[in-house]
Amino acid sequence: MESKTLSRSLLLTFMTAYLFGCGGSNDSDEGTEYTVTVASEPVYYGLGIQFTPPITGHGTTQSGQEIFTTSIEGFEHEFGTSYELRVLEKNVDTEGVADGSSISIELVEVISSQADSVGTSYVYSEVELSGNPFTDKEEGVYSFYQYEFLCAENADCDALVAIADSGGLVEVEFEYTGGEIPVTLVRWN
């Protein structure tokens, strides 16, 4: 009887050790899933436009690195739409890469998305006119970094594009108008 108890104890010990060992390696290989919420409005940081870290859920990776929507592989944010996302964070091999991140964040699922109300205003003060933040994409379509926008009749976006690398500062106001290109530049000075 004692031998059966000892055998069972040893078997349980080995199984527990095996399962914990497998769990640890699977976590690092398969990554960690969690949910993040992304705001509808990009935040301008100067010489680039990024999103604030998610408001709820994880605002940073498990290693403490801030999450921006541009770092989520497989996700493209639409200006004026907020999202709840399920993402997968994995460790990646960066051997031989001088400034590469050791973390990758991949989109698993868009849980929900909600467009802002038509007429919602987004104002950006002190936008640096350096590095061409405003460009002319095609007839009637412009871009502010990675975001396409339309131009209101009185806004003169061609003049803004012409001075986009002048070194000055401008204030711009976009409005959510919906549609395929959901925002329109309504004012700049």
Side-chain angles (χ1 to χ4, degrees):
M1 190 81 143
E2 193 172 304
S3 132
K4 276 187 174 180
T5 305
L6 181 61
S7 295
R8 283 185 183 161
S9 293
L10 284 174
L11 181 62
L12 280 173
T13 302
F14 287 124
M15 286 180 61
T16 303
Y18 175 77
L19 289 174
F20 279 117
C22 287
S25 66
N26 282 344
D27 285 346
S28 64
D29 290 342
E30 293 177 15
T32 304
E33 275 192 21
Y34 50 90
T35 301
V36 295
T37 301
V38 178
S40 65
E41 179 179 358
V43 174
Y44 176 73
Y45 287 100
L47 297 180
I49 191 166
Q50 293 280 345
F51 280 92
T52 56
I55 297 168
T56 60
H58 290 273
T60 58
T61 64
Q62 299 294 80
S63 64
Q65 185 179 28
E66 281 188 313
I67 300 171
F68 295 96
T69 57
T70 53
S71 65
I72 300 173
E73 296 174 29
F75 176 68
E76 187 173 326
H77 179 271
E78 183 174 288
F79 196 134
T81 300
S82 58
Y83 299 86
E84 185 175 6
L85 308 174
R86 186 174 19 241
V87 296
L88 175 66
E89 178 183 334
K90 290 182 175 181
N91 291 323
V92 293
D93 183 19
T94 58
E95 192 172 317
V97 179
D99 61 351
S101 172
S102 62
I103 301 294
S104 95
I105 301 170
E106 300 169 7
L107 177 65
V108 174
E109 174 187 13
V110 175
I111 297 168
S112 67
S113 63
Q114 177 66 47
D116 287 341
S117 300
V118 171
T120 300
S121 176
Y122 315 96
V123 177
Y124 297 94
S125 300
E126 299 186 6
V127 175
E128 296 178 49
L129 296 175
S130 180
N132 294 313
F134 298 96
T135 56
D136 184 357
K137 300 276 289 184
E138 57 187 67
E139 185 65 35
V141 179
Y142 301 85
S143 67
F144 180 37
Y145 293 101
Q146 73 264 28
Y147 292 99
E148 291 184 345
F149 65 89
L150 302 174
C151 190
E153 285 184 33
N154 62 340
D156 197 1
C157 293
D158 291 328
L160 181 59
V161 169
I163 64 166
D165 202 23
S166 65
L169 296 173
V170 295
E171 179 176 276
V172 296
E173 180 179 0
F174 296 96
E175 186 175 295
Y176 187 79
T177 50
E180 188 175 326
I181 300 174
V183 292
T184 300
L185 181 75
V186 294
R187 166 186 77 78
W188 68 273
N189 59 13

